[in-house]
Amino acid sequence: MIADQIIQTICPPLATSESLPMYLQMAREMSSKRFFGSMYEYAIAYLACHFFTVFGDSTGAGGALDPAVGTGKIASKSEGGMSISYAQESSTGAAGSEELSTTKFGKLYLALRIRRPAMGVNTSGCERGFL
């Protein structure tokens, strides 16, 4: 499958949006075919859908007001004279993880990224300077 076909299934509003080519290009520039291997087109589709869900398009489709957008974790709340703060999980260290976890598509992308083997490491030792 190619990213366009995946998007038709998981995010029909993006599939018909004039913003589709731009979001696909952005996703391709931010993802490595070598890293994702056979799952590259899925990674591209998930990331493009994430961008659409966050930013929308010029017609007003998608974007932060779209119900598909998740919200961040609640850090605190206040009512009257009482305030409650919640402990926050530390970041996993993966770049962009916190922002990606705000949409269901970003979460799919993160899950795919986590399942891939670490780049630059092989069983015979150091490859290209990465330990």
Side-chain angles (χ1 to χ4, degrees):
M1 288 187 115
I2 60 172
D4 296 29
Q5 294 170 320
I6 297 165
I7 290 169
Q8 286 175 357
T9 302
I10 66 173
C11 189
L14 175 56
T16 59
S17 169
E18 60 188 43
S19 298
L20 177 62
M22 179 57 71
Y23 286 135
L24 284 172
Q25 182 63 32
M26 288 170 59
R28 289 188 193 286
E29 290 178 6
M30 296 179 72
S31 299
S32 167
K33 189 171 190 172
R34 184 173 179 173
F35 178 77
F36 285 105
S38 64
M39 299 303 290
Y40 177 69
E41 293 296 321
Y42 285 90
I44 297 307
Y46 297 155
L47 196 53
C49 290
H50 169 75
F51 291 147
F52 177 73
T53 303
V54 172
F55 301 116
D57 66 15
S58 60
T59 67
L65 298 178
D66 190 299
V69 177
T71 58
K73 296 178 182 172
I74 297 173
S76 65
K77 65 180 180 179
S78 298
E79 187 173 323
M82 183 190 287
S83 179
I84 300 172
S85 296
Y86 301 99
Q88 297 294 304
E89 295 178 20
S90 63
S91 173
T92 60
S97 296
E98 201 168 299
E99 190 271 328
L100 284 167
S101 67
T102 62
T103 70
K104 62 184 174 183
F105 303 114
K107 289 176 184 176
L108 288 167
Y109 180 84
L110 283 173
L112 190 60
R113 189 168 75 179
I114 290 168
R115 288 195 334 238
R116 303 309 297 171
M119 288 190 68
V121 178
N122 63 27
T123 58
S124 64
C126 184
E127 179 182 17
R128 278 196 234 134
F130 294 106
L131 297 177

